[in-house]
Structure formats: C-alpha cells, structure tokens
Amino acid sequence: MKSFNILRITLVVVFLQPLYSCKKFVDIPPTPTQIMSSKVFEDDGTATKAITGIYIQMISTGNLFSSGNTTFYSGLSADELYYYTNDTKQEFLKNEISPTTHGLISTVFWSPAYKYIYAANACIEGLANSVSLTPTVKQNLTGEAKFIRAYCYFYLVNLFGDVPLITTTDYELNSLMPRSAKVSVYNQIISDLIDAQSLLNVSNISNGKIRPNKSAAGALLARTYLYRQEWANAITQSSSVISSGMYSLQSNLNSVFLNGSSETIFQLQAGSSNINTFEGSTIIPASASATPTFLLSNTLLNSFESGDLRKTNWIQSRVFAGQTIFYPFKYKIRSNATITENYVYLRLAEQYLIRSEARAQQNDISGAQADLNIIRNRAGLPNTSASDKVSLLLAIEHERQIEFFSEWGHRWFDLKRTGRASAILSALKGSTWQDTDMLWPIPNSQINLNRYLSQNPGY
C-alpha cells in the first residue's frame, strides 16, 4: 500500500484539486490551473497520479457516498438500520425527507459524485488528447476513468432516478444540463463499462486491488445488466468473473473483508492513517459507554435462519442503557494504525447471486439453485428448498438481504428494482411510506443553481 499512500502528496493536488474542491459540479469556471492540467497527461507518472487521485478523494473522509454513507442512509431508507439518536436521520428511516436534509444529500451524495465524474471526464479528455503517453498506460488509465464515471452514475441513478448526464468538462453546457432519462444514464454506464472491459488489464496493476481491472468492470456490468433485466448478459458477465480463476469465496466469513481477501474484486483504502474503514470507525463503539450510532433493525435480525454463520460472524451486540443492541460487524476495526481492512466495493459473492437470479428468470432452475447453494453452504446453511421460479426468486431475494445487509445499499436498491419496495416497506413503516419515497429528492440547492433541474415527485 506504500506506493498508493505516497500519491496523497503528489502533483495531482496541484493540477486537479480544483476539480474536486468546487462547491457545485456545474459551477466550475476555467482557471489557469485547469488549463495547465493538460501537462499532467504528458507523462506516465503524472497521468497515473491524476487517476489515482480520484480514488484518494473518494475515500478521503467518512462523509461521502463512496466511503460508507450509501450503506448508512440507504439502510435507513430500507428495512436494515435505524439510528440510535433521534435526529434528522430519522427522516430517512421514516422516508419523509424534508428540505432540512437536502444539504446533507447534496454534500454527501450529489456533489461528491459529480466531482468525481468531472474529474473522470477531465482525465478521459486529457488522455485522448495526449500523444506522449505509453500506449498501454494510456489505455488502462482511460479504462479506469470510464469505470469511475460508470460507478458514480450507477449510484446517482439508483438514488435519484433521472439525473444530468455529464460527459464533458464544458462548464457552460454542464451548468444548464437538465435531467436525463434513467434509461439514457444506464446506457452510458453500460457503454463506459464495456469500454473499460476492453481497455483495463486482466490482472491487478497495484497491490491490494485498489485499482479496477477487467473483472471489476465485468462485475459492475453484470450488476447493471441484472438491474436492467438483461438476464443473458448478466449471466455472461458474472460467469466471466467467476470463471476467471482470480477470485474465490473465503471459507472463513471473518476473512471476507480483510486485505488480501480472495473474494475482493475492488476495494479502496481509507484516507486516514489510523482508520481502516470509515464504516468501522462510525459503527464500532469507542468504549462501553459510547452512544450507539447505526444499529440493525429487528426486521433484519429476525430474517436470519437458524445456524446462519453470517449472524454470528457479521453481527455484534452490546448492552447500552440496559438494552441489548445489535450492530453490523463486517468491518471489525474501529481505529488502528495497522491497516488490515480496506473498504470493499465489489466482491465475488455478488456475482454468484447475480447469476442465480438471472438463471432463475430464464427458468434454469438447477443452475440457479447451484449458485444460490454455494452462498448458503458457505454460511453453514443447507441447500435451498425452493424448486420453482417464483419460490426461487424469493429465496434469492432473501439470500441477498442476508448476504449484503448494511453493504452499499443493496437491500434498498433490490426492493426498488424488483417492484417489492411498497409491499414490504408500507407494511413496516405504515402511513409514512408512499411510492414516491423510492427516490430521494434532488437537493434544492442544486435546483436553485440550475433552473433546468426538476424535483422528484413527492417533495
């Protein structure tokens, strides 16, 4: 990890910091620093630092969609988490997001995602115009930039629905960009990931899987195809990752999120010398008397089958104020100068469940069962009893709920993409739930700055 940490003090700060520090994505005028940034792409080393600088920004603090907050706030919106202290986070729990929290949505989700997209766009343009880079370096860096852009858009479109589709650094054009239809955003994600697949190296070019390779692009592409209900494509992509021979499920569940895990496809290291992951530092208590933060809902706790090793290995409990409370324990280190855990963005278990669901949708019952059973057996559970398409899809939904609880918003997105959100959450949350709650509001501050942005229904 030493070489990656050194990048924190490199020329990327000089050349590209204006791309990250702007208050609003579309409020970026050309500056001398940005005009000079073309020099970054005259040299393999500085061009590489431009790309890795984006990763550093994505995990630089704990107050970002890319460093834990997608897990936290999507978990509140779904049926996974609640927050111990009664504050504005309850608006996500009740799915009644008021203008009070628009500032949080803007600074934690919307603005950071668009900052990274802008930086990726700048890199794509700079790389395309460069004539001095080593061809293989130029190719791989372009693939990384497209992967980053696709990753950010995947979360924007699943949190907000239609969003502005920004693919250039033309600030005048971007400042007036309306929301693009969800299908157009997904088409761009798929296009970027297909390009990334063709451009990225097969093997990891850095220690720790902290830069995406061809399989990382394929893994995100498989997920995207699943969300788009393109079952055959989802099977093709997930099968490619599974059969690559580069990854294997960890038999010990306590090793899944460790550095060097054979299951990890893509991960990033937190931007703090004594923090392994911001998720761990937020959830794990500093002491027995520390006030709890994000806790697991009874709905989730009661969803585990008897004997499920994920409940005993990935959940921790303690007594606070005379009450036994439970919290996620996938990341087990709160603070430690020794880095043994990185924040996992993509892992192999998802690919088996993607393929299982896509196979079930195509009536390949035995194939779907086989993939599902791989995940169940790893958790100490017997083979599934589901034997037809309807029961199997429900079994896969349940398995995804348990395997990916408090992890990157999987449950929130699954409920919405399968059309099950209203049936499940209305029963749980009662009169506070309405169908329009499936999308978060576009931050009012962004609408005030761009008259072409419209608000989601219900806000």
Side-chain angles (χ1 to χ4, degrees), residues 204-222:
N204 290 99
I205 61 174
S206 62
N207 293 329
K209 304 174 185 177
I210 56 175
R211 292 171 65 183
N213 62 1
K214 192 178 296 289
S215 290
L220 186 55
L221 188 55

Side-chain angles (χ1 to χ4, degrees), residues 301-321:
L301 290 170
N302 294 332
S303 296
F304 285 86
E305 298 173 53
S306 177
D308 194 323
L309 296 176
R310 290 167 294 195
K311 188 171 186 178
T312 54
N313 287 276
W314 289 352
I315 293 176
Q316 186 66 276
S317 67
R318 66 174 172 132
V319 176
F320 184 81

Side-chain angles (χ1 to χ4, degrees), residues 5 8 59-60 268-273 275-278 342-343:
N5 287 331
R8 302 179 194 282
I59 201 77
S60 60
L268 288 180
Q269 180 183 322
S272 175
S273 60
I275 290 176
N276 278 231
T277 67
F278 290 107
N342 280 349
Y343 201 48

Side-chain angles (χ1 to χ4, degrees), residues 22-37:
C22 54
K23 289 180 64 177
K24 175 176 176 287
F25 168 67
V26 296
D27 261 356
I28 306 175
T31 66
T33 306
Q34 290 180 23
I35 294 171
M36 289 171 57
S37 68

Side-chain angles (χ1 to χ4, degrees), residues 296-454:
L296 296 174
S297 69
N298 288 332
T299 300
L300 177 60
L301 290 170
N302 294 332
S303 296
F304 285 86
E305 298 173 53
S306 177
D308 194 323
L309 296 176
R310 290 167 294 195
K311 188 171 186 178
T312 54
N313 287 276
W314 289 352
I315 293 176
Q316 186 66 276
S317 67
R318 66 174 172 132
V319 176
F320 184 81
Q323 177 188 10
T324 301
I325 54 177
F326 299 86
Y327 56 91
F329 200 52
K330 289 181 171 179
Y331 298 100
K332 306 181 187 305
I333 299 175
R334 185 178 188 277
S335 60
N336 192 335
T338 302
I339 306 299
T340 59
E341 296 176 338
N342 280 349
Y343 201 48
V344 176
Y345 283 52
L346 296 166
R347 61 187 179 96
L348 183 62
E350 182 189 2
Q351 299 304 303
Y352 281 105
L353 292 179
I354 286 173
R355 191 168 69 177
S356 180
E357 182 176 340
R359 283 174 164 174
Q361 290 286 3
Q362 290 198 319
N363 293 300
D364 178 2
I365 303 303
S366 62
Q369 289 172 324
D371 283 333
L372 176 58
N373 289 335
I374 286 172
I375 304 302
R376 289 181 57 80
N377 295 164
R378 195 263 292 266
L381 298 176
N383 289 346
T384 182
S385 60
S387 58
D388 61 80
K389 180 177 178 178
V390 173
S391 62
L392 195 50
L393 287 172
L394 289 174
I396 295 165
E397 177 188 291
H398 170 77
E399 204 65 34
R400 290 180 62 91
Q401 177 188 17
I402 301 304
E403 180 70 23
F404 303 124
F405 75 89
S406 71
E407 191 172 340
W408 275 105
H410 278 289
R411 176 63 172 174
W412 178 231
F413 297 162
D414 284 349
L415 289 176
K416 295 193 296 179
R417 71 178 176 83
T418 59
R420 301 256 295 151
S422 288
I424 290 175
L425 297 180
S426 62
L428 177 65
K429 304 192 179 190
S431 60
T432 64
W433 173 263
Q434 51 188 346
D435 288 349
T436 53
D437 293 336
M438 286 187 280
L439 294 177
W440 289 355
I442 305 299
N444 283 337
S445 61
Q446 304 299 318
I447 294 175
N448 291 337
L449 288 165
N450 179 0
R451 65 183 184 274
Y452 293 100
L453 282 181
S454 59

Side-chain angles (χ1 to χ4, degrees), residues 16-28 53-54 57-58 60 63-65 106-123 148-149 152-153 156 166 168-169 446:
L16 294 182
Q17 185 62 27
L19 307 186
Y20 306 130
S21 59
C22 54
K23 289 180 64 177
K24 175 176 176 287
F25 168 67
V26 296
D27 261 356
I28 306 175
I54 306 176
Q57 292 294 318
M58 290 177 71
S60 60
N63 194 34
L64 299 169
F65 89 96
S106 181
T107 59
V108 173
F109 296 94
W110 184 279
S111 293
Y114 274 112
K115 289 173 187 176
Y116 311 144
I117 288 169
Y118 185 93
N121 290 341
C123 287
I148 291 168
R149 185 166 68 183
C152 292
Y153 271 124
L156 284 170
I166 308 295
T168 76
T169 57
Q446 304 299 318

Side-chain angles (χ1 to χ4, degrees), residues 180-195:
S180 296
K182 188 175 179 178
V183 64
S184 297
V185 180
Y186 266 125
N187 287 342
Q188 183 64 52
I189 293 169
I190 290 172
S191 175
D192 277 346
L193 291 174
I194 290 174
D195 286 347

